């Protein structure tokens, strides 16, 4: 994520649920046909750049999808309520595939990423989509205070249909793939500690990045159709 996003998650580190170092060592698929709570939990927290508070009530399974909702209901100290889903277990290397459709609302970020909670340094690998630029994907990865964000133009609108997003995380290599095509790879600043898989939908304070949430049509939704994990093999 962008440079200021390190500050965003400094608050999140203090508020998220404590995760053990129990790692997922076998492959699994989740099609979310009936429930999500076998492998995931919905968060209840916020962070500095987030205009909303995440609520368990805003993540639901409907018609075979996980539906993440963002609405204008006040929640604790925030004017909006949003949604975040996290894996119960941690992962170290592998292929992470998600089929999702992003929100088209201004001011909103739809994200699929890997993240290490309670880390001494910010540690993550990201896909992010802003409602302002639905034909652009923001990629990033962190192991410290330095952002490595990169914006990639796309030939399609991420909010109009489902697309398949894949993170290939290997020792000393990250590759980002969309619909079967590798769009970026790096061997710089590759995380080497276990991380959670996270999906979220939230309104950012950064108007330049996503537009103004005050101009958004709410409620708005992001949809997750499928998640697959395949462990890394040497």
């Amino acid at each position: 994520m962008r440079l200021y996003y390190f500050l965003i998650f400094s608050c999140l580190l203090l508020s998220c649920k404590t995760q053990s170092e129990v790692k997922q060592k076998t492959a699994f698929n989740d099609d979310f046909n009936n429930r999500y709570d076998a492998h995931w939990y919905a968060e209840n927290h916020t962070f500095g750049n987030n205009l909303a508070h995440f609520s368990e009530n805003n993540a639901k399974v409907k018609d075979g999808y996980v539906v993440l909702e963002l609405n204008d209901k006040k929640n604790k100290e925030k004017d909006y309520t949003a949604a975040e889903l996290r894996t119960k277990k941690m992962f170290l290397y592998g292929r992470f595939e998600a089929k999702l459709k992003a929100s088209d609302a201004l001011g909103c970020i739809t994200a699929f990423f890997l993240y290490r909670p309670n880390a001494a340094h910010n540690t993550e690998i990201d896909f992010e989509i802003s409602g302002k630029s639905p034909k652009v994907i923001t990629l990033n990865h962190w192991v410290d205070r330095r952002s490595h964000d990169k914006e990639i133009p796309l030939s399609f609108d991420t909010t109009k249909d489902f697309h398949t997003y894949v993170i290939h995380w290997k020792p000393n290599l990250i590759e980002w793939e969309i619909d079967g095509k590798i769009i970026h790879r790096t061997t710089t600043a590759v995380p080497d500690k276990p991380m959670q898989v996270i999906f979220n939908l939230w309104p950012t304070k950064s108007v330049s990045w996503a537009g103004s949430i005050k101009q958004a049509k709410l409620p708005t939704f992001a949809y997750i159709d499928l998640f697959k994990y395949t462990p890394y093999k040497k």
Side-chain angles (χ1 to χ4, degrees):
M1 298 179 183
R2 301 176 181 215
L3 183 57
Y4 58 76
Y5 213 38
F6 174 77
L7 299 176
I8 295 173
F9 277 101
S10 62
C11 293
L12 185 151
L13 296 179
L14 299 175
S15 59
C16 68
K17 296 182 180 179
T18 301
Q19 291 296 305
S20 68
E21 285 296 317
V22 176
K23 295 196 288 287
Q24 180 73 30
K25 296 181 179 180
T26 59
F28 80 87
N29 299 349
D30 211 334
D31 58 13
F32 304 114
N33 280 338
N34 299 305
R35 54 189 291 187
Y36 66 73
D37 59 351
H39 300 290
W40 310 78
Y41 66 91
E43 264 290 6
N44 181 3
H45 73 90
T46 190
F47 49 86
N49 201 44
N50 187 353
L51 294 170
H53 192 101
F54 292 128
S55 169
E56 297 95 330
N57 296 328
N58 282 39
K60 299 177 181 179
V61 174
K62 183 178 181 181
D63 300 326
Y65 307 122
V66 169
V67 182
L68 304 180
E69 179 180 348
L70 192 159
N71 58 50
D72 58 0
K73 297 178 181 178
K74 290 184 179 294
N75 190 338
K76 300 184 186 299
E77 74 279 23
K78 302 286 185 171
D79 290 334
Y80 302 90
T81 304
E84 179 173 277
L85 211 62
R86 295 179 174 224
T87 50
K88 295 178 179 179
K89 291 186 178 181
M90 308 279 274
F91 300 78
L92 181 63
Y93 306 132
R95 183 182 189 274
F96 302 81
E97 174 184 336
K99 188 174 182 181
L100 61 92
K101 182 167 69 170
S103 165
D104 62 357
L106 286 173
C108 296
I109 302 297
T110 303
F112 160 45
F113 59 107
L114 311 180
Y115 175 73
R116 181 170 176 79
N118 304 316
H121 300 288
N122 207 46
T123 304
E124 60 187 89
I125 303 172
D126 310 327
F127 276 112
E128 295 172 294
I129 301 164
S130 84
K132 180 181 178 182
S133 305
K135 290 187 176 182
V136 174
I137 192 82
T138 300
L139 312 177
N140 210 341
H141 63 293
W142 302 68
V143 290
D144 49 32
R145 294 176 181 270
R146 183 185 174 191
S147 172
H148 300 271
D149 61 296
K150 186 176 184 64
E151 292 188 342
I152 307 276
L154 304 173
S155 61
F156 58 88
D157 188 327
T158 55
T159 69
K160 298 301 183 184
D161 205 349
F162 286 90
H163 294 273
T164 301
Y165 302 83
V166 179
I167 296 170
H168 299 274
W169 177 30
K170 306 174 184 179
N172 304 312
L173 176 66
I174 307 169
E175 295 176 317
W176 290 261
E177 172 189 318
I178 301 180
D179 293 339
K181 180 182 178 181
I182 300 294
I183 60 169
H184 184 58
R185 56 170 52 92
T186 185
T187 57
T188 301
V190 177
D192 61 0
K193 298 292 191 299
M195 296 191 281
Q196 287 178 290
V197 181
I198 301 178
F199 294 98
N200 61 24
L201 172 64
W202 57 281
T204 176
K205 290 181 180 179
S206 176
V207 175
S208 62
W209 185 15
S212 173
I213 186 64
K214 294 180 180 179
Q215 297 175 327
K217 295 180 180 179
L218 301 178
T220 187
F221 307 91
Y223 302 87
I224 310 162
D225 184 32
L226 179 72
F227 175 79
K228 293 182 180 180
Y229 169 67
T230 305
Y232 168 74
K233 293 183 180 180
K234 295 181 181 179

